[in-house]
């Protein structure tokens, strides 16, 4: 009887991560492109509505629906010019409770040419 109890505990411990709600252990988001601004994410529940917020050079919000595999893509065609270079903070919050964040360092952008004046 004791062996059965130990085996049952080991089996439960091995299966525990797969029994957790989708997205609760492995959801993540990242910046895929700055121009146009594109955020990708994985680990959300299938068909979960996800609100993606990007801050740093203004505040941009987009609501998307996760695919069957839990992936999301949020795109913004028109963004403030500063967003191309600024440090950004990404937050994705799903309707089923999945919340993930990411910080993206700013990049050095070329300065506009100086006025050549007369």
């Amino acid at each position: 009887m004791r062996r059965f109890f130990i085996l049952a505990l080991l089996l439960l411990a091995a299966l525990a991560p797969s029994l957790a709600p989708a997205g609760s252990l492995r959801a993540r988001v990242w910046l895929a492109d700055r121009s146009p601004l594109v955020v990708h994410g994985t680990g959300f529940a299938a068909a979960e509505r996800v609100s993606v917020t990007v801050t740093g050079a203004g505040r941009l919000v987009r609501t998307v629906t996760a695919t069957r595999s839990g992936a999301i893509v949020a795109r913004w065609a028109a963004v403030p010019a500063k967003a191309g270079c600024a440090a950004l903070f990404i937050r994705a919050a799903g309707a089923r409770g999945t919340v993930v964040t990411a910080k993206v360092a700013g990049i050095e952008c070329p300065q506009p040419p100086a006025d050549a004046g007369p």
Side-chain angles (χ1 to χ4, degrees):
M1 183 69 165
R2 187 173 185 202
R3 278 187 181 170
F4 175 75
F5 182 70
I6 291 172
L7 286 174
L9 281 177
L10 289 174
L11 182 61
L12 183 60
L15 292 177
S18 65
L19 297 175
S24 65
L25 298 176
R26 57 181 163 48
R28 67 185 198 107
V29 290
W30 65 94
L31 181 68
D33 200 354
R34 283 186 179 263
S35 181
L37 191 64
V38 180
V39 172
H40 284 208
T42 58
F44 294 91
E48 183 174 13
R49 299 284 293 163
V50 180
S51 176
V52 181
T53 305
V54 179
T55 56
R59 185 173 189 266
L60 305 167
V61 180
R62 176 87 63 225
T63 301
V64 296
T65 302
T67 64
R68 274 197 260 170
S69 63
I72 62 163
V73 177
R75 290 183 175 87
W76 291 267
V79 296
K82 291 185 253 177
C85 304
L88 302 173
F89 181 76
I90 303 167
R91 181 179 190 272
R96 297 183 188 161
T98 308
V99 178
V100 291
T101 61
K103 293 180 183 178
V104 181
I107 60 172
E108 188 174 329
C109 287
Q111 297 297 318
D115 240 1

